[in-house]
Amino acid sequence: MSDTQTLESAQTETPEALVARLAKAGRAAQIALARMTTPQKAAALLAAAQALRAAEPAILEANAKDMAAGAARGLSGAMLDRLRLDAGRLAGIADAVAAVAGLPDPVGEVISQDERPNGLVLARVRVPVGLIGIIYESRPNVTADAAALCIGSGNAALLRGGSEAVHSNRAIHAAMVQGLVSAGVPEAAVQLMPTQDRAAVGAMLTAAGLIDMIVPRGGKSLVQRVQDDARVPVLAHLDGICHTYVHSAADPDMALSIAVNAKMRRTGICGSMETLLLDAAFPGSVAVVQALLDKGCELRGDARARALDPRILPASEADWDTEYLDAILSVAVVDGLEAGIDHIARHSSHHTDAIITADAAAAEEFLQRVDSAIVMVNASTQFADGGEFGLGAEIGIATGRLHARGPVALEGLTTYKWQVRGTGQVRP
Amino acid sequence: MSDTQTLESAQTETPEALVARLAKAGRAAQIALARMTTPQKAAALLAAAQALRAAEPAILEANAKDMAAGAARGLSGAMLDRLRLDAGRLAGIADAVAAVAGLPDPVGEVISQDERPNGLVLARVRVPVGLIGIIYESRPNVTADAAALCIGSGNAALLRGGSEAVHSNRAIHAAMVQGLVSAGVPEAAVQLMPTQDRAAVGAMLTAAGLIDMIVPRGGKSLVQRVQDDARVPVLAHLDGICHTYVHSAADPDMALSIAVNAKMRRTGICGSMETLLLDAAFPGSVAVVQALLDKGCELRGDARARALDPRILPASEADWDTEYLDAILSVAVVDGLEAGIDHIARHSSHHTDAIITADAAAAEEFLQRVDSAIVMVNASTQFADGGEFGLGAEIGIATGRLHARGPVALEGLTTYKWQVRGTGQVRP
């Protein structure tokens, strides 16, 4: 079906009917995809990467249209930068797709196996989740990244990108599908929503039984809307209010270098530190806050933190629950491990929280008791990333409590089934 | 707080405020519970079992009140039987609680471990889900079973039983809590909803962020309501439309004994077979349907199935999607493995589906392609049960695709967190 035909039929059906039609096609494609072997899926991903490289002129031309429209609409410089593709960025996108081909395939992995006294042999085996909906904003690379992770894990993808990137997304999608189809993947394994109608997003969110899981990729307002409205399970994080607690037994140099890195390496990522908890008994606090201030970070502290340096501004109650995503940091002085854990329990968004300490018992206590998707000892919270965790990529970071937590890649896009092998057993 | 005080305060607050108050207390208790060791939790479960045995007079007296009220309200004999406790049944309930104490504790288990090139050591470690809401109907044993499984996996439980069992549930709950508290478990680790107000159920279902997971235990209308209204993740199955496909290469005696067992051993359980698919090339079909008919099973067949025996009634389209939970079975004749798999794909509720065959390749093809929580070869679907799977117990069977599938016991009530141990690493 051509893009034009799809658009026409999309205009004559309700958003719910559109989603149902796409989901049905996606599910049928997924059943075929689930039967493909690991080498077949890898070959398809390499073909998709090659097709992206070959389509460079068309993709950059489409992107130029989006950039022109974005500039005319007055998008901010940061948004235009997120939208922008060039030969180097596109090559990076293609390389990322090819890299997924080299990751271990979780599908078919035997999670556990057991033989019962009656001779039944039970195995839990990983299978794809099914049809994954991805709802994202202006970054066109998500089109390729998300599709590659879904295909690599045997899932079909239904993509819905932001309207500002519509031409870029269509061009990237067309190239990828061409590559995938040339390697035997059904066309509907990766579908791009043919309309920018916002009602279609609502229809995706409520398509329980049709779409198996939704992954939102974008800013807080997008994630919030998806979490509020979805009747389909959502894999996401809303906030990354990450803490670093500097214990009394922390090495002062280590505390300083980790605190500066956790906040200032990149301030706009979800794993950046937003609150620094300094133990009252830690001797190096002045040096840590001075280093942060000298790097240009605004510090907002409680009364005891402000006593460390006159440049520290007063923190309001809201600061302890704020994800700045900027060169701003809240700082509190706490009395001991218990108080540090307690502050984190009250204010963490359960994304990533860290302790800096040379005391192994304190470290283990922190690791055991802090109830976040990622808990760290003596490391920068900026390591909260699928690539850094050795997953090769990530579809996102999840702070929910079920299914998958922390960085989610291929394995998080699978579930399992029980296979039971008998020899005629009946239940007494 | 006495029962009376709880009831009084429940009357002065909204259902939402009640659930928020109970959830807050439960969550605080869960944090303390999560710090208890495996032997401590086991000792607490044994104390709870002992307390149930010691409270036999009070529990049976409470149950007699429920039975009298139920009889006065005209409950059916089957419902009264589900409600009824006697010394033997109560001993069984206490034994089941004690048995959970002997199960392996999943909490703290290291799922995977990896050292990165930069020296960071990553481990995924099982942790409790948190606060589990259990919504159930007339069986008072669920009060004890569900509470035991939650405590055994480090979770707090918020129980809401059926109004017909209110006195029994309160007596069982009071005894268990007394036993648990005597062994150091916080009182709020197992809470029973102090009101039978149906609005309180609605408040539980929408308590996202307060309750981590809801498990409905009961009939289809309860599960349907929970699935429709919940904003909290639900672990459940709605239907058990289980199939047995008898392949052309099936051993005729095995096919007969498995088919009879899968349907007739107990017709009212979710793992009972509801549709029998007979391969057109299987030579033993007449004997299989005769055996089922002779056992008193009503058969409803398609045209080709009806040709096997004149006693087979015609099936309507609805029969292929019906869970009878009775001595009724739909029967279709299919042409080959592909047609069998296709019928199952269209009509299965993805609970449990089985193939009977001596052909190993056909068996593996079926196991790979049938997308149900449990897929079986040469065994009765009635084995779909946590006890039979060696899990020791089950909180339920899940047919959703995420988190846990099939029989769910202690491990399914856990999730994981990432523990990262560093030596001062910062991200470049």
Side-chain angles (χ1 to χ4, degrees), chain A residues 30-53:
Chain A
Q30 194 274 323
I31 290 170
L33 182 62
R35 297 176 68 183
M36 291 179 72
T37 63
T38 302
Q40 286 172 333
K41 287 186 286 188
L45 288 167
L46 294 176
Q50 190 48 44
L52 284 169
R53 292 186 193 104

Side-chain angles (χ1 to χ4, degrees), chain A residues 96-174:
Chain A
V97 170
V100 175
L103 295 175
D105 184 356
V107 173
E109 186 198 332
V110 177
I111 301 170
S112 66
Q113 192 149 12
D114 187 29
E115 180 166 345
R116 302 295 306 150
N118 61 8
L120 285 180
V121 176
L122 274 61
R124 281 193 299 161
V125 178
R126 283 202 189 285
V127 297
V129 164
L131 175 61
I132 316 277
I134 325 275
I135 300 173
Y136 53 106
E137 290 180 328
S138 53
R139 290 181 196 272
N141 64 299
V142 176
T143 305
D145 289 353
L149 285 165
C150 286
I151 295 296
S153 52
N155 293 284
L158 179 54
L159 306 167
R160 207 291 194 174
S163 56
E164 58 280 30
V166 60
H167 297 101
S168 311
N169 289 337
R170 284 185 188 156
I172 290 171
H173 172 254

Side-chain angles (χ1 to χ4, degrees), chain A residues 223 227 234-242 270 348-352 371-374 396-402 404-408, chain B residues 212:
Chain A
V223 176
Q227 289 189 337
V234 174
L235 202 73
H237 70 273
L238 188 61
D239 282 316
I241 303 178
C242 303
C270 59
S348 170
S349 64
H350 304 291
H351 186 295
T352 301
D371 188 24
S372 298
I374 305 171
I397 291 187
T399 54
R401 299 195 61 78
L402 299 182
R405 301 181 83 200
V408 177
Chain B
D212 296 303

Side-chain angles (χ1 to χ4, degrees), chain B residues 31 107 112 135 167 185-186 200 202 220 222 264 271 294 319 350 370 375 419:
Chain B
I31 289 171
V107 174
S112 66
I135 300 174
H167 298 101
V185 173
K220 187 169 168 172
L222 172 72
M264 299 301 288
D294 293 349
D319 278 304
H350 304 291
V370 172
V375 284
Q419 294 181 338

